[in-house]
Amino acid sequence: MVAGTISEQRPGVHEALFYEKLPEGRVQCLLCPHDCRIPEGGRGACAVRVNHEGTLYTLVYDRVVARSVEPIEKKPLFHFFPGSTAYSIATVGCGLRCTFCQNWAISQWPKTNLPRRIARGDSDTALARLAEAISGKPMSPRQLVAAARAAGARSIAYTFTDPTFFLELALDTAVIARDAGLKNVFVTSGFINEAPLRRIAPVLDAVNVDLKFFREESYKRISRARLAPVLDSIRLYHDLGAWTEVTTLVIPGINDSDEELERIATFVRSVGPEVPWHVTQFYPAFEMLDRGATPLETLRRARRIGLSAGLRYVYEGNVPGEGGEHTWCHQCGARLIERYGHRVLRSRLRDGRCPDCRTTIDGVGMGAGS
């Protein structure tokens, strides 16, 4: 069953969506493919969903730990209203534990800063205290939408950590944002079950999914996740109509072989030749400090592999000024959007078309600006 509603609940404590009640006070969370079976007082792998007396609660519905106005290119989304800004938000928590996580201080915060469980039979006050201990500023969906509009953003981006694990907040905010004329963007690992994906997809306008590896062993060992659900979610987001882009952080000695890059590129091509693929430069972070930054030639090689696989748009990320950030016409080869880092310097698009050969350039809001 799908349980939980997000209206008329106690401040700071919100029943979660997507779980089943089990015997003896246990619950099974159905949000992500971990499918955690959580005992009374326990939390799931994400550490922000807690079982209190047989009901599953989210601890992050109204605790926003990060807010900023950023270029949409930083997500990265290069074919979704290029040059516009996104009001970007996050809560703490994530169901993955990538050893190279750039935002580990907030994604992993609940796993090290909260008690592991609530004692059986403890009061509602204990649950409220746990929720209040969550890092972040209390903000409602309506407040977030108002802030985004005041900032002049075209969209709200649910990002930094994986928004799958603050789905309840993202869903309510996205509904209000759409009514207010704002777009909604997910930046996600793609580690989500089908039912919640289908629930959020109708109010999403674009997604960028991290396809970290194409080896099951790497997903298990480095990210504590699985490959197949990520592939399924990329296809489903795309099929349900959200503009879809894919990012692969190219890590030296991990996923930078021709074979693995070709497998990733071939998969992305099977989703659609119009899906942009971002191959981005790795920098040491969190627990992966034993290797250096990705060489530029590796990124160039990955880009060549993607184009050879039949992708129309392949971008090199985290290397400003190297030329791999520009958008080129896939028909005649003309340079159409010139970028430096996350800034659009110049666009030659006319009504979403190449001015030289009139080919339509795939995307949403191409040439619309901010």
Side-chain angles (χ1 to χ4, degrees), residues 11-337:
V13 179
H14 296 265
E15 186 178 358
L17 298 171
F18 300 103
Y19 76 97
E20 289 184 347
K21 293 178 179 286
L22 301 175
E24 300 178 356
R26 299 170 68 87
V27 300
Q28 180 162 13
C29 181
L30 302 173
L31 179 62
C32 86
H34 286 313
D35 292 325
C36 295
R37 289 176 173 256
I38 307 172
E40 161 67 26
R43 290 181 287 145
C46 62
V48 292
R49 295 163 82 80
V50 59
N51 175 6
H52 181 58
E53 298 180 351
T55 297
L56 187 65
Y57 293 95
T58 171
L59 298 173
V60 293
Y61 180 78
D62 59 355
R63 288 294 185 274
V64 178
V65 74
R67 297 180 294 142
S68 62
V69 180
E70 299 183 326
I72 195 67
E73 281 77 15
K74 192 175 180 181
K75 300 303 106 186
L77 285 165
F78 279 20
H79 287 247
F80 184 79
F81 294 98
S84 69
T85 56
Y87 187 80
S88 303
I89 66 170
T91 73
V92 297
C94 183
L96 282 66
R97 198 181 188 283
C98 302
T99 58
F100 53 84
C101 183
Q102 299 288 318
N103 291 318
W104 60 271
I106 56 176
S107 70
Q108 305 303 308
W109 185 92
K111 299 173 185 178
T112 57
N113 288 276
L114 294 177
R116 297 190 63 178
R117 60 184 299 117
I118 299 173
R120 180 181 292 274
D122 213 341
S123 67
D124 286 353
T125 302
L127 176 61
R129 284 199 302 266
L130 184 63
E132 289 167 3
I134 291 285
S135 179
K137 179 179 179 178
M139 290 195 74
S140 71
R142 292 193 183 279
Q143 289 174 317
L144 290 169
V145 172
R149 294 187 68 186
R154 185 180 287 273
S155 59
I156 296 181
Y158 310 88
T159 181
F160 303 134
T161 57
D162 190 333
T164 295
F165 302 99
F166 59 91
L167 186 85
E168 294 81 3
L169 173 62
L171 178 61
D172 281 5
T173 304
V175 170
I176 298 169
R178 174 158 288 191
D179 288 344
L182 296 172
K183 305 297 184 183
N184 292 296
V185 170
F186 246 35
V187 182
T188 174
S189 71
F191 199 64
I192 185 173
N193 281 334
E194 181 176 347
L197 189 156
R198 287 186 178 275
R199 179 73 174 272
I200 189 73
V203 290
L204 294 181
D205 298 285
V207 296
N208 185 298
V209 182
D210 284 337
L211 180 49
K212 303 174 189 296
F213 321 100
F214 216 82
R215 298 179 187 275
E216 188 69 38
E217 188 274 335
S218 296
Y219 258 102
K220 290 180 179 178
R221 177 173 57 87
I222 300 173
S223 294
R224 299 186 187 177
R226 291 184 285 118
L227 171 62
V230 177
L231 302 182
D232 290 343
S233 73
I234 293 172
R235 288 193 185 278
L236 190 54
Y237 277 124
H238 179 270
D239 292 349
L240 292 176
W243 174 255
T244 303
E245 304 192 19
V246 174
T247 296
T248 300
L249 186 70
V250 182
I251 306 174
I254 300 292
N255 62 355
D256 61 344
S257 68
D258 283 0
E259 176 193 4
E260 188 151 2
L261 293 170
E262 286 168 0
R263 293 177 71 190
I264 294 173
T266 299
F267 169 78
V268 176
R269 172 62 178 81
S270 75
V271 176
E274 81 286 356
V275 175
W277 184 34
H278 301 262
V279 290
T280 62
Q281 188 174 47
F282 163 86
Y283 289 96
F286 192 29
E287 297 174 338
M288 190 174 284
L289 305 174
D290 60 343
R291 61 203 71 225
T294 315
L296 290 177
E297 178 51 40
T298 300
L299 297 181
R300 294 175 183 141
R301 172 168 53 87
R303 184 169 183 269
R304 291 193 297 268
I305 287 171
L307 294 173
S308 296
L311 292 172
R312 295 174 186 168
Y313 316 103
V314 185
Y315 296 101
E316 299 168 30
N318 292 344
V319 283
E322 288 298 317
E325 309 154 301
H326 306 322
T327 296
W328 307 81
C329 178
H330 61 88
Q331 185 65 37
C332 73
R335 186 163 72 181
L336 301 176
I337 302 178

